[in-house]
Amino acid sequence: MTELFDYFDKFLKLSDNTKKALAELCSNVTIKKNDTLQPFGHTCKTIYFLKSGIARIYYYKDGTDITECFAFEGNIIARVESLFTGKPSQKAIQILENAEIIAINATQLFKLYDTYPQIERLFRLIFETAYVDTLNRIEGIQFHSAEERYLDLLKRTEIVQKIPLKHIASYLGITQVSLSRIRATVK
Amino acid sequence: MTELFDYFDKFLKLSDNTKKALAELCSNVTIKKNDTLQPFGHTCKTIYFLKSGIARIYYYKDGTDITECFAFEGNIIARVESLFTGKPSQKAIQILENAEIIAINATQLFKLYDTYPQIERLFRLIFETAYVDTLNRIEGIQFHSAEERYLDLLKRTEIVQKIPLKHIASYLGITQVSLSRIRATVK
DNA sequence: GTGATTATTTATCATTTGTTAAAGGAATTC
DNA sequence: GAATTCCTTTAACAAATGATAAATAATCAC
């Protein structure tokens, strides 16, 4: 669990008994490439932390598979729109590279918010950061060409190389053909 | 202040003394069309609630004025990226239609988080909702044409009619010429 | 390894949006 | 109310991306 608490530490220093309470909600999951971590249609009740591997959140739009986001080693991933609204998620989580994951039981987590204000604060800070990242992503989508966005993604994580092109294309909001064309000119 | 507390009520029922503490951070502001509510370069320390009027957050990108978002009657507006990071904001808030505003002192607000967990929770819920809205906006930008996005914006608020075209265009991520063309075909 | 499946590239043409420039309207100032 | 400025539309052409189809390349199952 060290990796997870190191991650938490970056947001807020937790007291020992808060850490202990949190640790009780966590369980380890090992899951293989291409497997589904969370299926469509269920209300999201888990927040995941990736110790290793790659995951993506995706959904179907007019029959095509769209990747909403990727998550890499050392980051958390959750279907926020369901977690916060309590509505069933129209999105699924799939593993793209064999992963070691810590699953945090969100139902129990939210219950701890009353007893441990530190925990409520921790996750408030985590999601505030994610919110700001999302605002910046909008700027990226609206004011950069597909080529710029692709190069930017490459710059952020070279691990992207391991991900099938179609997922990267739908994440960037373009077709796979278009991305392939871009890569040809960039090389 | 009734409008503001009605707004809060939709997220969380507050106790009377919590409301009283909150009310002490609030002040009324009357501001005219085209005036600047918050300039560039300062760290954002205020959250605004619009009792009436229209406001927008904007910034300059390569010399052009870009509208990040609009706010209408009954909604809050804040430069979140500065509020949450404590860094100076590269964005400004401008009034587009004469407005009656309640200004919430965020510095004092954050201090109350320790004493009134209800207040921390209230704003956590408010911003969680805003976060989910932002995620949905990304979907809109990536998978709908400019025309669809324009019609969708019109559907959400007819007040948009009052806003100069250039602001709507930059909000939608297209040029003013392009938006004008779209409006010509839609009519 | 061979065949089958899946992923990626390439090519062609259509559509959308951007860029630039100019013209017509609306609003504001004096 | 005339002049000025700002806002919106129109037009012509360029660039980026989409759609479809076909050709390679890579991967997987047996």
Side-chain angles (χ1 to χ4, degrees), chain B residues 144-156:
Chain B
H144 292 107
S145 66
E147 180 174 323
E148 287 171 314
R149 277 177 276 148
Y150 174 66
L151 292 176
D152 193 57
L153 182 64
L154 276 190
K155 213 187 299 168
R156 289 211 308 279

Side-chain angles (χ1 to χ4, degrees), chain B residues 18-29:
Chain B
T18 306
K19 282 185 187 176
K20 205 180 147 205
L22 268 174
E24 280 171 20
L25 312 182
C26 296
S27 50
N28 285 293
V29 179

Side-chain angles (χ1 to χ4, degrees), chain A residues 120 124 139 142 171, chain B residues 61 120 124 139 142 171:
Chain A
E120 178 163 11
R124 171 173 70 77
E139 192 186 312
Q142 282 189 316
Y171 172 77
Chain B
K61 175 137 207 128
E120 179 163 10
R124 171 174 68 77
E139 191 185 313
Q142 283 188 316
Y171 171 76

Side-chain angles (χ1 to χ4, degrees), chain A residues 21-88:
Chain A
L22 267 175
E24 280 173 18
L25 311 182
C26 297
S27 51
N28 286 293
V29 179
T30 304
I31 178 162
K32 287 203 178 304
K33 183 169 174 169
N34 292 327
D35 281 2
T36 295
L37 180 59
Q38 283 283 289
F40 294 101
H42 290 115
T43 300
C44 176
K45 286 167 184 156
T46 321
I47 297 168
Y48 299 98
F49 174 84
L50 271 79
K51 290 202 288 186
S52 69
I54 304 178
R56 69 171 183 129
I57 295 178
Y58 72 104
Y59 56 95
Y60 285 100
K61 176 138 204 129
D62 305 328
T64 34
D65 172 323
I66 305 286
T67 294
E68 176 176 283
C69 68
F70 299 110
F72 305 98
E73 187 175 319
N75 268 100
I76 65 167
I77 185 168
R79 292 167 302 167
V80 172
E81 97 292 348
S82 171
L83 196 67
F84 290 162
T85 63
K87 291 179 192 162

